[in-house]
Amino acid sequence: MPVNAYSRLENLRAMWSWLLLWTVVALLAIFSHGPMPLYSTRTLAVAWEMFNQGHWLVPHINGEPYSEKAPLLFWLIQGGWFVFGVNDVWPRVLEVLFGATQLVLLSTLAQRLFPNRPWMAKAAPWMLLALGYAFLFGLQIMYDVLLAVWTLAALLCLTPKARRAEPRWLLFGICIGLGLLTKGPVMLLHVVFPWLLGPLWNDWAREHRARWYGRGVLSLLLAAAMLLAWALPAGLSGGEAYRQRLFFTQTAGRVVDELSRGKDLQNHAQPAWWYLLCLPALLFPFSGWPRAPVAVAATLLRRPWERGIRPALWLSLLALVGLVVVALIPGAWPWTAKLLVGLLLAPLSIALLRRPLEPGLRFALCWLLPGLFVFSLISGKQLYYLLPELAGVTLLIAGCIAMLRERHPVLATHGWLGTWPLGVGGIVFAVLLFALPLLVDRHVLVGDWATDAAPYTRYFSVVFLLLGGLLLLRGRGELRRLAIAGLIGVLSLNTLFTLALWSNYDIRPAARLLGAVEQAHRSIGYLGNYAGEFHFAGRLTQPITELYGDQALQDFARQHPDAVVVTHPQTLDANDLRYALLVQPFRSSWLAVWPAQSLADLREGHTPPEPSRPTQVYPADDWRYRVQP
């Protein structure tokens, strides 16, 4: 058998265990309940409206052009609908395929960057599949897992192969272009720094700087041309308002908070230190595994130190202390936090990139540190914005653990650096789950989530007790035990959520009613901002009218006396359970569907006519209906 064929066969053999495990668990989790409002339902609403109304060029939601996202994911969903018909199965299978592709690409990237460490190609995907947040968010029908796929594919094009050191520039440009068509210009922030800093980690880039940057620029131009090939005709077709938001406002408004004010944009503004604060949650369970931070510190900060590193580290430490102080001061100037983040990350980046590290570790640092700095300066922040970078984090941690095994074998096997804190945490969590029904009965814990979860938690306490025991074991296979425990633990939490809390997120009862209303050619209104949550589930084909204020409600009821109106009350009263057509829990509050005239009468202080049938309540036996006034 040829050497290359044998190598590929060995890679497939190493791949099947983690790939099969992850795929089975992901399919179980993503099909345990329906699409999640508001993340998945908004994406499905846009894809459904494009498919149903024939808006192939310009995404639409609720009858209006949707400028927040580029169309590639919508096109992929619609492609499956052409083959299989409109359903919510294909979009979920598509997300699982994206996640599996991401793991395969990460394994290949680790193999390229660490050719002398075959363990890396096995360890990196195990680590990525163990990350709890990445797994749970991967269950959402959204853009960021697909964006992570194009990010890894683009970076893979930059890495050298055994028989070719020069990057595959054409594929590099195409992958960036597909990323731009997935989520817009933010794709560049995920890939540009490993390219700009290429001579720091890539021998070919260091020897051929002109070709590296020249051909890289041509690749970026190709990617921009791919985006413009869609964006220019879409902008012309969508109208002036859509064109303005598409080409400027929706991106600039996320970068600078002031540009989003008064423009109804999804800005998600957070302070500059927010990502630093959230890193432990993003990196769990590895943030609770002592060997991981010890390995990173022992590898990146080992002596001897080059000249200038000590002052850089002291400056970063002082900036970190300053960030803690700023975070505790209400109303601190935003520019102060940005300046301190810069003083923290810039000297640290310069110091670490001067170390004599392996090319793979330098690649990870060139990817992660500048990216974290820029994303921290951008006003709009969400945890899932950093989803593509989690693959880089796993490369960094796995590479540092490999170095720890070589240089500090005692630390690499020391029991106190093992997974025992996570094991103890799992056992403590199991005890809390077992005690939860008793705490609810004695009113020590109150709230909807505790009451709804109490009937099921003792069953799941057994699972977490076993997982805690697994993590207390010592010996070889520690990383794999941690990954399996993390994956099964997240699946268990998702299952507990499905059993106990999914009824608070299941909008199908209201969507079915609204679908029947539209079939009867009656209008539908919504008090407040409508995010498209009912359009796909109810297969609605007409826009829902957004109503702001009582006067808008009165006018709508006069113009459409047979219409219905959806409200989103925080609590229910007797009128909701008497005059509304339907009432159901929704997240931490409620949804109510009203006859428009009845709701308008109540808002004016009049008593509406008695309904012809009682209010439908979902779930029918929910305990919360028994305690309403």
Side-chain angles (χ1 to χ4, degrees):
M1 181 182 294
V3 175
N4 287 343
Y6 178 78
S7 177
R8 285 193 292 269
L9 181 61
E10 287 300 306
N11 290 337
L12 289 174
R13 288 176 178 173
M15 183 186 301
W16 76 267
S17 57
W18 50 259
L19 186 58
L20 179 62
L21 174 64
W22 185 89
T23 302
V24 170
V25 173
L27 287 171
L28 288 173
I30 204 167
F31 283 104
S32 64
H33 55 70
M36 177 72 70
L38 301 165
Y39 292 128
S40 298
T41 53
R42 182 189 290 120
T43 305
L44 290 172
V46 176
W48 160 247
E49 190 157 342
M50 292 176 69
F51 183 86
N52 180 65
Q53 305 293 338
H55 298 306
W56 308 112
L57 190 61
V58 179
H60 277 66
I61 187 169
N62 200 35
E64 297 291 334
Y66 183 64
S67 63
E68 298 294 331
K69 297 296 181 291
L72 182 58
L73 179 58
F74 307 132
W75 289 342
L76 292 175
I77 293 174
Q78 292 171 78
W81 285 348
F82 271 114
V83 178
F84 307 112
V86 177
N87 59 78
D88 62 9
V89 174
W90 165 246
R92 288 188 269 183
V93 170
L94 198 59
E95 287 295 325
V96 174
L97 292 175
F98 295 156
T101 304
Q102 183 185 8
L103 293 175
V104 174
L105 289 172
L106 175 61
S107 179
T108 308
L109 187 63
Q111 186 180 28
R112 295 264 189 92
L113 291 169
F114 299 88
N116 299 321
R117 300 184 185 278
W119 177 81
M120 288 288 299
K122 303 174 184 178
W126 277 107
M127 296 181 71
L128 184 59
L129 67 84
L131 292 174
Y133 179 83
F135 180 83
L136 288 175
F137 192 82
L139 305 181
Q140 307 303 319
I141 304 170
M142 284 191 70
Y143 323 88
D144 297 86
V145 180
L146 180 58
L147 186 69
V149 168
W150 300 129
T151 298
L152 288 172
L155 296 178
L156 191 61
C157 293
L158 290 180
T159 56
K161 298 176 67 174
R163 296 187 177 183
R164 177 186 171 124
E166 184 176 1
R168 280 70 64 200
W169 295 112
L170 177 62
L171 289 176
F172 182 60
I174 291 174
C175 290
I176 294 176
L178 292 172
L180 292 172
L181 287 170
T182 299
K183 206 178 176 183
V186 71
M187 171 65 180
L188 297 177
L189 295 182
H190 295 294
V191 298
V192 71
F193 296 112
W195 169 65
L196 289 175
L197 302 176
L200 294 177
W201 63 270
N202 189 298
D203 291 337
W204 191 92
R206 192 159 45 250
E207 296 168 2
H208 306 86
R209 291 175 186 263
R211 291 173 66 184
W212 175 272
Y213 290 112
R215 296 187 180 185
V217 169
L218 292 177
S219 298
L220 294 178
L221 292 175
L222 171 61
M226 292 175 62
L227 179 63
L228 291 174
W230 162 75
L232 290 176
L236 292 174
S237 176
E240 176 62 30
Y242 173 75
R243 188 161 54 248
Q244 175 71 15
R245 291 169 67 100
L246 179 67
F247 285 103
F248 176 71
T249 314
Q250 67 96 12
T251 297
R254 285 178 168 85
V255 175
V256 182
D257 188 31
E258 287 76 8
L259 296 177
S260 68
R261 292 175 184 170
K263 295 183 174 64
D264 189 26
L265 295 176
Q266 301 172 20
N267 177 260
H268 312 299
Q270 297 289 350
W273 44 262
W274 190 75
Y275 280 133
L276 296 173
L277 181 66
C278 295
L279 281 179
L282 268 176
L283 301 182
F284 187 84
F286 297 103
S287 55
W289 182 30
R291 203 174 317 278
V294 168
V296 172
T299 301
L300 301 184
L301 301 179
R302 66 184 179 89
R303 294 176 183 271
W305 285 352
E306 288 79 9
R307 187 176 183 181
I309 287 183
R310 193 189 300 270
L313 294 178
W314 274 111
L315 183 58
S316 297
L317 180 61
L318 291 174
L320 181 61
V321 174
L323 279 174
V324 173
V325 174
V326 168
L328 296 176
I329 299 176
W333 289 332
W335 64 266
T336 306
K338 293 181 179 181
L339 176 63
L340 290 172
V341 167
L343 291 176
L344 169 65
L345 294 178
L348 185 63
S349 302
I350 295 171
L352 293 180
L353 290 175
R354 293 185 61 193
R355 308 306 316 271
L357 300 171
E358 289 189 10
L361 292 176
R362 283 176 170 266
F363 170 88
L365 293 173
C366 290
W367 182 9
L368 297 174
L369 290 176
L372 178 61
F373 175 53
V374 173
F375 276 103
S376 295
L377 295 184
I378 291 173
S379 174
K381 297 180 180 67
Q382 290 277 39
L383 285 182
Y384 54 81
Y385 290 175
L386 297 183
L387 206 63
E389 275 65 37
L390 295 183
V393 174
T394 60
L395 284 175
L396 179 64
I397 296 176
C400 290
I401 290 175
M403 298 289 289
L404 190 74
R405 290 178 170 182
E406 288 184 3
R407 295 173 176 166
H408 305 282
V410 174
L411 293 178
T413 58
H414 200 288
W416 285 108
L417 298 180
T419 56
W420 66 267
L422 295 167
V424 172
I427 293 173
V428 170
F429 187 57
V431 172
L432 291 175
L433 289 178
F434 189 84
L436 184 65
L438 182 62
L439 297 176
V440 170
D441 289 342
R442 296 187 176 182
H443 304 290
V444 176
L445 284 179
V446 295
D448 294 352
W449 68 268
T451 303
D452 290 337
Y456 308 98
T457 55
R458 286 185 173 172
Y459 302 104
F460 288 90
S461 69
V462 178
V463 176
F464 283 95
L465 182 64
L466 294 175
L467 293 179
L470 177 65
L471 292 172
L472 290 178
L473 295 177
R474 297 178 59 180
R476 297 187 61 182
E478 180 180 59
L479 175 59
R480 189 167 300 189
R481 288 195 300 272
L482 174 58
I484 292 174
L487 192 61
I488 300 302
V490 174
L491 174 63
S492 300
L493 290 175
N494 183 77
T495 306
L496 177 58
F497 166 82
T498 302
L499 293 172
L501 301 175
W502 172 244
S503 61
N504 294 359
Y505 295 81
D506 186 3
I507 60 172
R508 288 176 298 176
R512 284 194 295 265
L513 175 58
L514 296 179
V517 168
E518 185 183 88
Q519 289 293 320
H521 305 289
R522 299 162 61 190
S523 299
I524 302 172
Y526 191 99
L527 277 185
N529 181 49
Y530 172 61
E533 54 266 36
F534 303 114
H535 258 75
F536 176 76
R539 301 298 192 270
L540 304 181
T541 61
Q542 300 298 318
I544 290 178
T545 304
E546 294 181 340
L547 306 172
Y548 298 96
D550 287 345
Q551 186 59 51
L553 172 63
Q554 303 298 332
D555 295 340
F556 181 76
R558 280 194 299 269
Q559 295 168 11
H560 309 280
D562 61 345
V564 301
V565 174
V566 181
T567 64
H568 190 191
Q570 290 298 312
T571 59
L572 296 181
D573 59 25
N575 288 329
D576 293 289
L577 297 174
R578 181 177 179 182
Y579 297 108
L581 297 173
L582 178 144
V583 171
Q584 69 168 91
F586 182 64
R587 300 174 72 155
S588 58
S589 55
W590 298 87
L591 277 176
V593 182
W594 289 79
Q597 193 59 56
S598 297
L599 182 61
D601 288 342
L602 283 172
R603 292 293 177 93
E604 283 194 320
H606 305 312
T607 301
E610 285 296 321
S612 59
R613 59 180 182 178
T615 301
Q616 301 177 56
V617 294
Y618 294 93
D621 58 348
D622 195 282
W623 61 272
R624 280 166 292 188
Y625 294 114
R626 297 192 292 271
V627 299
Q628 297 302 321

